[in-house]
PDB file of all heavy atoms in Angstrom:
ATOM      1  N   VAL A1307      98.412  39.206 132.469  1.00  0.00           N
ATOM      2  CA  VAL A1307      97.604  38.412 131.513  1.00  0.00           C
ATOM      3  C   VAL A1307      98.470  37.601 130.660  1.00  0.00           C
ATOM      4  O   VAL A1307      98.211  36.396 130.433  1.00  0.00           O
ATOM      5  CB  VAL A1307      96.793  39.390 130.543  1.00  0.00           C
ATOM      6  CG1 VAL A1307      96.024  38.530 129.501  1.00  0.00           C
ATOM      7  CG2 VAL A1307      95.754  40.140 131.343  1.00  0.00           C
ATOM      8  N   GLY A1308      99.658  38.129 130.223  1.00  0.00           N
ATOM      9  CA  GLY A1308     100.640  37.278 129.474  1.00  0.00           C
ATOM     10  C   GLY A1308     101.115  36.141 130.257  1.00  0.00           C
ATOM     11  O   GLY A1308     101.293  34.984 129.794  1.00  0.00           O
ATOM     12  N   LEU A1309     101.406  36.348 131.591  1.00  0.00           N
ATOM     13  CA  LEU A1309     101.927  35.306 132.488  1.00  0.00           C
ATOM     14  C   LEU A1309     100.768  34.249 132.669  1.00  0.00           C
ATOM     15  O   LEU A1309     101.039  33.026 132.679  1.00  0.00           O
ATOM     16  CB  LEU A1309     102.333  35.912 133.777  1.00  0.00           C
ATOM     17  CG  LEU A1309     103.044  34.908 134.788  1.00  0.00           C
ATOM     18  CD1 LEU A1309     104.165  34.199 134.063  1.00  0.00           C
ATOM     19  CD2 LEU A1309     103.623  35.751 135.973  1.00  0.00           C
ATOM     20  N   ALA A1310      99.520  34.746 132.842  1.00  0.00           N
ATOM     21  CA  ALA A1310      98.428  33.784 133.022  1.00  0.00           C
ATOM     22  C   ALA A1310      98.329  32.914 131.728  1.00  0.00           C
ATOM     23  O   ALA A1310      98.040  31.718 131.884  1.00  0.00           O
ATOM     24  CB  ALA A1310      97.171  34.587 133.204  1.00  0.00           C
ATOM     25  N   GLY A1311      98.518  33.452 130.604  1.00  0.00           N
ATOM     26  CA  GLY A1311      98.496  32.724 129.358  1.00  0.00           C
ATOM     27  C   GLY A1311      99.557  31.591 129.360  1.00  0.00           C
ATOM     28  O   GLY A1311      99.314  30.537 128.903  1.00  0.00           O
ATOM     29  N   ALA A1312     100.697  31.963 129.903  1.00  0.00           N
ATOM     30  CA  ALA A1312     101.825  31.019 129.925  1.00  0.00           C
ATOM     31  C   ALA A1312     101.496  29.805 130.890  1.00  0.00           C
ATOM     32  O   ALA A1312     101.958  28.670 130.731  1.00  0.00           O
ATOM     33  CB  ALA A1312     103.107  31.621 130.400  1.00  0.00           C
ATOM     34  N   LEU A1313     100.626  30.093 131.920  1.00  0.00           N
ATOM     35  CA  LEU A1313     100.313  29.089 132.891  1.00  0.00           C
ATOM     36  C   LEU A1313      99.115  28.196 132.524  1.00  0.00           C
ATOM     37  O   LEU A1313      98.925  27.163 133.139  1.00  0.00           O
ATOM     38  CB  LEU A1313      99.930  29.772 134.182  1.00  0.00           C
ATOM     39  CG  LEU A1313     101.099  30.434 134.965  1.00  0.00           C
ATOM     40  CD1 LEU A1313     100.549  31.247 136.171  1.00  0.00           C
ATOM     41  CD2 LEU A1313     101.981  29.315 135.559  1.00  0.00           C
ATOM     42  N   ILE A1314      98.429  28.598 131.450  1.00  0.00           N
ATOM     43  CA  ILE A1314      97.293  27.743 130.975  1.00  0.00           C
ATOM     44  C   ILE A1314      97.833  26.322 130.608  1.00  0.00           C
ATOM     45  O   ILE A1314      98.737  26.232 129.834  1.00  0.00           O
ATOM     46  CB  ILE A1314      96.570  28.422 129.762  1.00  0.00           C
ATOM     47  CG1 ILE A1314      95.817  29.669 130.208  1.00  0.00           C
ATOM     48  CG2 ILE A1314      95.595  27.458 129.171  1.00  0.00           C
ATOM     49  CD1 ILE A1314      94.691  29.489 131.111  1.00  0.00           C
ATOM     50  N   GLY A1315      97.209  25.330 131.192  1.00  0.00           N
ATOM     51  CA  GLY A1315      97.618  23.961 130.970  1.00  0.00           C
ATOM     52  C   GLY A1315      98.591  23.418 132.025  1.00  0.00           C
ATOM     53  O   GLY A1315      99.022  22.281 131.949  1.00  0.00           O
ATOM     54  N   ASN A1316      98.970  24.270 132.916  1.00  0.00           N
ATOM     55  CA  ASN A1316      99.978  23.921 133.974  1.00  0.00           C
ATOM     56  C   ASN A1316     101.229  23.239 133.451  1.00  0.00           C
ATOM     57  O   ASN A1316     101.581  22.157 133.804  1.00  0.00           O
ATOM     58  CB  ASN A1316      99.309  22.880 134.932  1.00  0.00           C
ATOM     59  CG  ASN A1316      98.259  23.562 135.861  1.00  0.00           C
ATOM     60  OD1 ASN A1316      98.358  24.751 136.189  1.00  0.00           O
ATOM     61  ND2 ASN A1316      97.320  22.794 136.393  1.00  0.00           N
ATOM     62  N   PRO A1317     101.921  23.939 132.575  1.00  0.00           N
ATOM     63  CA  PRO A1317     103.126  23.371 131.953  1.00  0.00           C
ATOM     64  C   PRO A1317     104.198  23.344 133.118  1.00  0.00           C
ATOM     65  O   PRO A1317     104.334  24.232 133.939  1.00  0.00           O
ATOM     66  CB  PRO A1317     103.561  24.425 130.902  1.00  0.00           C
ATOM     67  CG  PRO A1317     102.919  25.706 131.352  1.00  0.00           C
ATOM     68  CD  PRO A1317     101.641  25.336 132.040  1.00  0.00           C
ATOM     69  N   PRO A1318     105.033  22.287 133.014  1.00  0.00           N
ATOM     70  CA  PRO A1318     106.074  22.170 134.078  1.00  0.00           C
ATOM     71  C   PRO A1318     107.236  23.134 133.884  1.00  0.00           C
ATOM     72  O   PRO A1318     107.976  23.376 134.845  1.00  0.00           O
ATOM     73  CB  PRO A1318     106.564  20.708 133.887  1.00  0.00           C
ATOM     74  CG  PRO A1318     106.204  20.360 132.503  1.00  0.00           C
ATOM     75  CD  PRO A1318     105.001  21.123 132.178  1.00  0.00           C
ATOM     76  N   VAL A1319     107.391  23.713 132.727  1.00  0.00           N
ATOM     77  CA  VAL A1319     108.484  24.628 132.417  1.00  0.00           C
ATOM     78  C   VAL A1319     107.950  25.973 132.060  1.00  0.00           C
ATOM     79  O   VAL A1319     107.056  26.108 131.183  1.00  0.00           O
ATOM     80  CB  VAL A1319     109.368  24.040 131.293  1.00  0.00           C
ATOM     81  CG1 VAL A1319     110.438  25.090 130.968  1.00  0.00           C
ATOM     82  CG2 VAL A1319     109.934  22.720 131.589  1.00  0.00           C
ATOM     83  N   LEU A1320     108.481  27.054 132.686  1.00  0.00           N
ATOM     84  CA  LEU A1320     108.095  28.404 132.420  1.00  0.00           C
ATOM     85  C   LEU A1320     109.322  29.134 131.802  1.00  0.00           C
ATOM     86  O   LEU A1320     110.376  29.133 132.495  1.00  0.00           O
ATOM     87  CB  LEU A1320     107.543  29.102 133.586  1.00  0.00           C
ATOM     88  CG  LEU A1320     106.180  28.605 134.159  1.00  0.00           C
ATOM     89  CD1 LEU A1320     105.813  29.413 135.364  1.00  0.00           C
ATOM     90  CD2 LEU A1320     105.111  28.774 133.158  1.00  0.00           C
ATOM     91  N   ILE A1321     109.134  29.825 130.659  1.00  0.00           N
ATOM     92  CA  ILE A1321     110.217  30.528 130.048  1.00  0.00           C
ATOM     93  C   ILE A1321     109.760  32.027 130.007  1.00  0.00           C
ATOM     94  O   ILE A1321     108.745  32.383 129.384  1.00  0.00           O
ATOM     95  CB  ILE A1321     110.520  30.155 128.619  1.00  0.00           C
ATOM     96  CG1 ILE A1321     110.754  28.608 128.548  1.00  0.00           C
ATOM     97  CG2 ILE A1321     111.666  30.894 128.015  1.00  0.00           C
ATOM     98  CD1 ILE A1321     111.948  28.103 129.230  1.00  0.00           C
ATOM     99  N   LEU A1322     110.489  32.910 130.693  1.00  0.00           N
ATOM    100  CA  LEU A1322     110.100  34.275 130.877  1.00  0.00           C
ATOM    101  C   LEU A1322     111.234  35.181 130.389  1.00  0.00           C
ATOM    102  O   LEU A1322     112.350  35.165 130.852  1.00  0.00           O
ATOM    103  CB  LEU A1322     109.825  34.552 132.387  1.00  0.00           C
ATOM    104  CG  LEU A1322     109.001  33.587 133.163  1.00  0.00           C
ATOM    105  CD1 LEU A1322     108.832  33.998 134.646  1.00  0.00           C
ATOM    106  CD2 LEU A1322     107.551  33.515 132.481  1.00  0.00           C
ATOM    107  N   ASP A1323     110.894  35.989 129.346  1.00  0.00           N
ATOM    108  CA  ASP A1323     111.906  36.827 128.727  1.00  0.00           C
ATOM    109  C   ASP A1323     111.688  38.317 129.263  1.00  0.00           C
ATOM    110  O   ASP A1323     110.689  38.945 128.915  1.00  0.00           O
ATOM    111  CB  ASP A1323     111.758  36.821 127.208  1.00  0.00           C
ATOM    112  CG  ASP A1323     112.953  37.514 126.551  1.00  0.00           C
ATOM    113  OD1 ASP A1323     113.828  37.982 127.161  1.00  0.00           O
ATOM    114  OD2 ASP A1323     112.883  37.398 125.258  1.00  0.00           O
ATOM    115  N   GLU A1324     112.612  38.743 130.086  1.00  0.00           N
ATOM    116  CA  GLU A1324     112.596  40.117 130.685  1.00  0.00           C
ATOM    117  C   GLU A1324     111.200  40.332 131.257  1.00  0.00           C
ATOM    118  O   GLU A1324     110.483  41.289 130.840  1.00  0.00           O
ATOM    119  CB  GLU A1324     112.841  41.171 129.578  1.00  0.00           C
ATOM    120  CG  GLU A1324     114.205  41.044 128.994  1.00  0.00           C
ATOM    121  CD  GLU A1324     115.370  41.590 129.794  1.00  0.00           C
ATOM    122  OE1 GLU A1324     115.065  42.078 130.924  1.00  0.00           O
ATOM    123  OE2 GLU A1324     116.550  41.477 129.326  1.00  0.00           O
ATOM    124  N   PRO A1325     110.704  39.611 132.217  1.00  0.00           N
ATOM    125  CA  PRO A1325     109.338  39.643 132.759  1.00  0.00           C
ATOM    126  C   PRO A1325     108.923  40.927 133.384  1.00  0.00           C
ATOM    127  O   PRO A1325     107.702  41.187 133.517  1.00  0.00           O
ATOM    128  CB  PRO A1325     109.277  38.400 133.649  1.00  0.00           C
ATOM    129  CG  PRO A1325     110.634  38.253 134.148  1.00  0.00           C
ATOM    130  CD  PRO A1325     111.529  38.571 132.990  1.00  0.00           C
ATOM    131  N   THR A1326     109.852  41.790 133.827  1.00  0.00           N
ATOM    132  CA  THR A1326     109.436  42.958 134.542  1.00  0.00           C
ATOM    133  C   THR A1326     109.770  44.223 133.807  1.00  0.00           C
ATOM    134  O   THR A1326     109.677  45.345 134.320  1.00  0.00           O
ATOM    135  CB  THR A1326     110.146  43.025 135.946  1.00  0.00           C
ATOM    136  OG1 THR A1326     111.516  43.092 135.756  1.00  0.00           O
ATOM    137  CG2 THR A1326     109.756  41.795 136.809  1.00  0.00           C
ATOM    138  N   VAL A1327     110.136  44.056 132.505  1.00  0.00           N
ATOM    139  CA  VAL A1327     110.612  45.290 131.776  1.00  0.00           C
ATOM    140  C   VAL A1327     109.342  46.245 131.627  1.00  0.00           C
ATOM    141  O   VAL A1327     108.223  45.808 131.348  1.00  0.00           O
ATOM    142  CB  VAL A1327     111.085  44.932 130.366  1.00  0.00           C
ATOM    143  CG1 VAL A1327     109.981  44.274 129.501  1.00  0.00           C
ATOM    144  CG2 VAL A1327     111.670  46.069 129.631  1.00  0.00           C
ATOM    145  N   GLY A1328     109.620  47.562 131.850  1.00  0.00           N
ATOM    146  CA  GLY A1328     108.513  48.507 131.728  1.00  0.00           C
ATOM    147  C   GLY A1328     107.592  48.629 132.914  1.00  0.00           C
ATOM    148  O   GLY A1328     106.684  49.492 132.825  1.00  0.00           O
ATOM    149  N   LEU A1329     107.770  47.851 133.958  1.00  0.00           N
ATOM    150  CA  LEU A1329     106.887  47.904 135.086  1.00  0.00           C
ATOM    151  C   LEU A1329     107.315  48.925 136.086  1.00  0.00           C
ATOM    152  O   LEU A1329     108.508  49.246 136.224  1.00  0.00           O
ATOM    153  CB  LEU A1329     106.690  46.489 135.744  1.00  0.00           C
ATOM    154  CG  LEU A1329     106.255  45.366 134.933  1.00  0.00           C
ATOM    155  CD1 LEU A1329     106.107  44.142 135.736  1.00  0.00           C
ATOM    156  CD2 LEU A1329     104.953  45.677 134.205  1.00  0.00           C
ATOM    157  N   ASP A1330     106.340  49.514 136.907  1.00  0.00           N
ATOM    158  CA  ASP A1330     106.770  50.404 137.923  1.00  0.00           C
ATOM    159  C   ASP A1330     107.292  49.529 139.162  1.00  0.00           C
ATOM    160  O   ASP A1330     107.142  48.375 139.199  1.00  0.00           O
ATOM    161  CB  ASP A1330     105.618  51.371 138.283  1.00  0.00           C
ATOM    162  CG  ASP A1330     104.440  50.618 138.992  1.00  0.00           C
ATOM    163  OD1 ASP A1330     104.618  49.651 139.699  1.00  0.00           O
ATOM    164  OD2 ASP A1330     103.281  51.026 138.727  1.00  0.00           O
ATOM    165  N   PRO A1331     107.919  50.178 140.163  1.00  0.00           N
ATOM    166  CA  PRO A1331     108.525  49.511 141.261  1.00  0.00           C
ATOM    167  C   PRO A1331     107.534  48.619 141.984  1.00  0.00           C
ATOM    168  O   PRO A1331     107.934  47.491 142.372  1.00  0.00           O
ATOM    169  CB  PRO A1331     109.006  50.633 142.148  1.00  0.00           C
ATOM    170  CG  PRO A1331     109.335  51.765 141.229  1.00  0.00           C
ATOM    171  CD  PRO A1331     108.267  51.633 140.173  1.00  0.00           C
ATOM    172  N   LYS A1332     106.319  49.047 142.206  1.00  0.00           N
ATOM    173  CA  LYS A1332     105.339  48.203 142.914  1.00  0.00           C
ATOM    174  C   LYS A1332     105.010  46.970 142.070  1.00  0.00           C
ATOM    175  O   LYS A1332     104.934  45.827 142.621  1.00  0.00           O
ATOM    176  CB  LYS A1332     104.053  49.033 143.156  1.00  0.00           C
ATOM    177  CG  LYS A1332     102.947  48.215 143.972  1.00  0.00           C
ATOM    178  CD  LYS A1332     101.829  49.154 144.337  1.00  0.00           C
ATOM    179  CE  LYS A1332     100.775  48.495 145.148  1.00  0.00           C
ATOM    180  NZ  LYS A1332     100.069  47.351 144.394  1.00  0.00           N
ATOM    181  N   GLN A1333     104.839  47.176 140.786  1.00  0.00           N
ATOM    182  CA  GLN A1333     104.466  45.987 139.891  1.00  0.00           C
ATOM    183  C   GLN A1333     105.747  45.050 139.770  1.00  0.00           C
ATOM    184  O   GLN A1333     105.518  43.816 139.708  1.00  0.00           O
ATOM    185  CB  GLN A1333     104.191  46.467 138.514  1.00  0.00           C
ATOM    186  CG  GLN A1333     102.834  47.276 138.458  1.00  0.00           C
ATOM    187  CD  GLN A1333     102.710  48.060 137.149  1.00  0.00           C
ATOM    188  OE1 GLN A1333     103.644  48.329 136.449  1.00  0.00           O
ATOM    189  NE2 GLN A1333     101.456  48.453 136.845  1.00  0.00           N
ATOM    190  N   ILE A1334     106.915  45.566 139.844  1.00  0.00           N
ATOM    191  CA  ILE A1334     108.107  44.684 139.841  1.00  0.00           C
ATOM    192  C   ILE A1334     108.192  43.850 141.022  1.00  0.00           C
ATOM    193  O   ILE A1334     108.455  42.615 140.934  1.00  0.00           O
ATOM    194  CB  ILE A1334     109.395  45.595 139.709  1.00  0.00           C
ATOM    195  CG1 ILE A1334     109.519  46.237 138.315  1.00  0.00           C
ATOM    196  CG2 ILE A1334     110.612  44.726 139.934  1.00  0.00           C
ATOM    197  CD1 ILE A1334     110.636  47.222 138.173  1.00  0.00           C
ATOM    198  N   ILE A1335     107.920  44.416 142.179  1.00  0.00           N
ATOM    199  CA  ILE A1335     107.945  43.634 143.452  1.00  0.00           C
ATOM    200  C   ILE A1335     106.842  42.558 143.430  1.00  0.00           C
ATOM    201  O   ILE A1335     107.092  41.369 143.806  1.00  0.00           O
ATOM    202  CB  ILE A1335     107.706  44.591 144.711  1.00  0.00           C
ATOM    203  CG1 ILE A1335     108.977  45.511 144.843  1.00  0.00           C
ATOM    204  CG2 ILE A1335     107.445  43.739 145.923  1.00  0.00           C
ATOM    205  CD1 ILE A1335     108.782  46.622 145.813  1.00  0.00           C
TER     206      ILE A1335
END
């Protein structure tokens, strides 16, 4: 959901701070 929020408006630049922290292995992949 957080990543979807970042994509709203189709910005050309995406800044992701530790995007997989706290995720399980399947979610990380």
Side-chain angles (χ1 to χ4, degrees):
V1307 174
L1309 187 52
L1313 288 170
I1314 291 294
N1316 286 334
V1319 176
L1320 294 176
I1321 308 293
L1322 313 176
D1323 192 359
E1324 302 278 1
T1326 62
V1327 66
L1329 302 184
D1330 66 35
K1332 182 174 183 293
Q1333 293 166 340
I1334 289 173
I1335 291 170

